[in-house]
Amino acid sequence: MKENIWSKYNDDDIMTLNEICDEYRNFISKSKIEREVVKNSIKMAESVGFVNLNKYIENNIKLTSGDKVYINNRNKSIGLFVIGKEDITKGINILGAHVDSPRLDLKASPLYEDTDMAYLDTHYYGGIKKYQWVTLPLALHGVVVKKNGDVVNVVIGEDESDPVVGITDLLPHLGQEQMKKEASKVIEGEKLDVLIGSMPIKNNSKEEKDLIKKNILNILKNKYDIEEDDFLSAEIEVVPAGHARDFGLDRSMIMAYGQDDKVCAYTSLKAFLDVDNVERTTSCILVDKEEIGSVGSTGMESSFYEDALREICSLLGHDEVTALSRTLSNSFMLSSDVNAAYDPLYSEVMDKRSASYFNNGVVFCKYTGSRGKSGSNDADAEYIAKLRKIMDDNKVNFQISELGKVDAGGGGTIAYILANKNVNVIDCGVGVLSMHAPWEVTAKADIYEAYKCYVAFLKDA
Ligand code: MN
Ligand code: MN
């Protein structure tokens, strides 16, 4: 462990740090799921002059230095670009983060009634400890798309006047057998059903079946104009209800849902929007589906980002077949993703010399993976040397670490995917405590240093 960086800060640092963290707390409270992040990111980008790339493509308008464009991929991932003065085939500077987080998704036919109680059936998404999701106030976020294409946006449980929903657990008095189970089985996946009602509909007919469920359907019809069948074409995510909070009596930390990886997504986006008038083209990618392997059309494995880059090359007059591969191979990327911060309560899985620490700055992670670095992107020493210089020149406090002890476990990020396209990539982000838990904790000083790091990278890489 190096030095706690709070002791290095002057009043100006602390003022900027607090501004950034207040904005972040506000952003993440309103951006709990990937669709909300994308919508709010587009709002922020358009307010400073970004234009949908499709407008350029459809009207065959050439791009020039200083132009700001974005591509919205199915409302779940987004790529943004500021065109630089230098020829694009000399490479671009990319910040990439993911905007999906572990949660519970509603199944396609979720609503059922049992013993005069109405439930929503779920299938968990990403790596969770299932026992953490019971007896919490939960909210419903997402969309219902009707057959005519109308999109109904759903957010229930966030407004102070909204009801919340939740998952019950067994009382300790009757939990003797349950408490003998191993932690992965204490609460099983099929038991993560959300209790949403217990009041029967006013019954005018002789009918007596599923009156609780019918009442819920009645409420959904009146409030959202949704029928039961509409759940077939819906994406509703169950997430912890409530906003992000300052954490600690000294307010040095933030507690929020989904900081993996929205803490890096927000700081990346903010840095990207703040860096103007660039030499090299800069880009920010916010992608979906990292928590389940970056798969599908909205994950990093999708070709959407490369396709956008190819369009941009073409609109800059580079129609030669080599343009895209030259651009990619000359590009630099920070895969901005969170790292497991050292937790003294769980020191047994951490290597003290290679761990990342709260309030020690932004974390670079040369390789992730597990069992002998398997599945990892292993960043080049040459690239790390270049970044060390940029960080030192810009007075960014950073640490280099790996995730946990050798063979204690492991994980992955989107880093390897762009590395496979021959981009220079390293993981770089903010340390998190209680990662993947409903409420994760970060340190404000690390958030501030991540922002500074991303600004320095975009300007100087
Ligand atoms: Mn992550
Ligand atoms: Mn994760």
Side-chain angles (χ1 to χ4, degrees):
M1 184 164 176
K2 292 191 289 184
E3 190 188 355
N4 189 311
I5 50 185
W6 281 97
S7 55
K8 296 188 194 175
Y9 288 154
N10 59 30
D11 290 351
D12 282 351
D13 281 321
I14 291 173
M15 203 174 74
T16 318
L17 175 156
N18 280 324
E19 266 171 33
I20 290 171
C21 289
D22 287 351
E23 284 170 25
Y24 165 58
R25 228 183 27 239
N26 203 15
F27 178 89
I28 194 170
S29 297
K30 291 181 178 140
S31 312
K32 287 197 172 177
I33 64 169
E34 53 282 356
R35 286 175 184 269
E36 292 164 354
V37 178
V38 167
K39 192 189 269 181
N40 292 330
S41 301
I42 290 175
K43 228 186 266 173
M44 283 166 69
E46 286 185 340
S47 75
V48 292
F50 278 77
V51 175
N52 194 317
L53 179 65
N54 287 333
K55 288 210 177 115
Y56 284 79
I57 296 170
E58 281 157 19
N59 303 305
N60 197 26
I61 305 168
K62 294 291 168 202
L63 282 166
T64 53
S65 138
D67 284 347
K68 299 170 172 184
V69 291
Y70 71 85
I71 180 104
N72 170 1
N73 182 21
R74 297 173 169 84
N75 303 316
K76 289 192 264 185
S77 44
I78 180 174
L80 306 106
F81 303 84
V82 175
I83 308 301
K85 300 180 191 110
E86 191 178 78
D87 189 306
I88 195 165
T89 60
K90 298 261 171 63
I92 71 176
N93 295 344
I94 308 167
L95 293 173
H98 68 92
V99 294
D100 60 318
S101 300
R103 61 182 189 247
L104 312 175
D105 285 342
L106 293 197
K107 290 187 181 178
S109 301
L111 184 59
Y112 72 91
E113 177 174 333
D114 190 343
T115 328
D116 271 5
M117 295 199 274
Y119 290 91
L120 291 170
D121 200 356
T122 69
H123 194 142
Y124 68 97
Y125 172 98
I128 62 167
K129 289 177 162 177
K130 299 178 196 92
Y131 65 79
Q132 293 177 333
W133 288 75
V134 296
T135 70
L136 289 174
L138 298 175
L140 305 171
H141 288 238
V143 294
V144 177
V145 185
K146 303 213 281 185
K147 274 201 288 187
N148 66 4
D150 283 355
V151 178
V152 182
N153 287 297
V154 175
V155 182
I156 305 172
E158 298 296 351
D159 195 276
E160 280 303 312
S161 64
D162 277 356
V164 293
V165 293
I167 301 164
T168 53
D169 192 5
L170 192 57
L171 63 169
H173 318 64
L174 297 178
Q176 285 177 33
E177 286 308 309
Q178 182 196 34
M179 295 300 280
K180 289 181 196 154
K181 293 182 184 173
E182 53 186 295
S184 62
K185 301 236 166 79
V186 168
I187 302 290
E188 304 213 41
E190 282 296 356
K191 284 225 160 60
L192 292 174
D193 290 1
V194 183
L195 177 60
I196 58 161
S198 66
M199 188 196 290
I201 195 167
K202 279 225 171 74
N203 190 12
N204 297 322
S205 69
K206 291 272 167 299
E207 205 182 4
E208 279 178 7
K209 252 188 80 195
D210 286 350
L211 298 179
I212 315 291
K213 175 177 161 178
K214 283 190 180 112
N215 192 41
I216 292 287
L217 284 170
N218 199 34
I219 292 167
L220 291 175
K221 177 76 189 163
N222 291 335
K223 184 150 189 218
Y224 295 100
D225 198 22
I226 301 169
E227 317 270 347
E228 185 169 12
D229 280 353
D230 292 329
F231 279 115
L232 294 172
S233 48
E235 286 174 9
I236 307 280
E237 305 180 12
V238 186
V239 299
H243 56 86
R245 308 286 290 263
D246 277 350
F247 188 84
L249 300 185
D250 56 6
R251 296 181 175 265
S252 64
M253 298 167 274
I254 287 178
M255 174 178 257
Y257 162 71
Q259 298 204 73
D260 173 9
D261 183 30
K262 289 168 203 105
V263 66
C264 297
Y266 179 74
T267 43
S268 294
L269 179 68
K270 180 171 171 57
F272 171 79
L273 296 178
D274 286 352
V275 174
D276 230 327
N277 198 17
V278 287
E279 275 306 310
R280 267 161 85 84
T281 294
T282 57
S283 177
C284 178
I285 319 172
L286 305 177
V287 279
D288 180 29
K289 296 287 183 284
E290 191 273 348
E291 296 295 356
I292 58 167
S294 295
V295 291
S297 61
T298 55
M300 194 69 250
E301 297 272 17
S302 155
S303 69
F304 90 92
Y305 184 73
E306 271 171 278
D307 294 345
L309 203 47
R310 191 183 292 107
E311 297 278 7
I312 287 172
C313 284
S314 173
L315 293 170
L316 285 165
H318 280 293
D319 282 313
E320 65 276 19
V321 288
T322 50
L324 179 66
S325 58
R326 281 184 189 164
T327 302
L328 288 169
S329 64
N330 289 324
S331 290
F332 298 110
M333 178 179 183
L334 296 183
S335 159
S336 333
D337 207 344
V338 295
N339 197 278
Y342 184 83
D343 187 336
L345 300 183
Y346 296 96
S347 57
E348 63 275 14
V349 294
M350 305 278 184
D351 169 17
K352 274 203 155 178
R353 278 190 308 278
S354 300
S356 64
Y357 294 88
F358 262 24
N359 300 310
N360 271 231
V362 65
V363 185
F364 285 92
C365 191
K366 185 179 189 303
Y367 46 83
T368 54
S370 55
R371 299 174 314 282
K373 298 187 176 182
S374 181
S376 165
N377 161 60
D378 201 349
D380 298 331
E382 289 84 349
Y383 181 40
I384 300 178
K386 178 186 168 75
L387 293 169
R388 278 175 63 199
K389 177 161 172 26
I390 294 172
M391 295 306 127
D392 286 345
D393 289 350
N394 288 277
K395 300 193 167 51
V396 175
N397 294 287
F398 70 94
Q399 44 187 331
I400 294 200
S401 85
E402 53 180 281
L403 189 114
K405 268 188 182 160
V406 174
D407 288 342
T413 64
I414 62 170
Y416 74 94
I417 301 164
L418 275 260
N420 285 349
K421 320 264 182 220
N422 208 14
V423 175
N424 298 286
V425 189
I426 186 169
D427 279 300
C428 172
V430 174
V432 175
L433 290 178
S434 305
M435 196 195 292
H436 282 208
W439 297 99
E440 300 170 318
V441 181
T442 52
K444 287 184 180 176
D446 300 332
I447 296 172
Y448 176 48
E449 296 299 326
Y451 168 76
K452 281 167 58 190
C453 159
Y454 298 152
V455 168
F457 167 81
L458 290 171
K459 281 195 307 142
D460 293 352

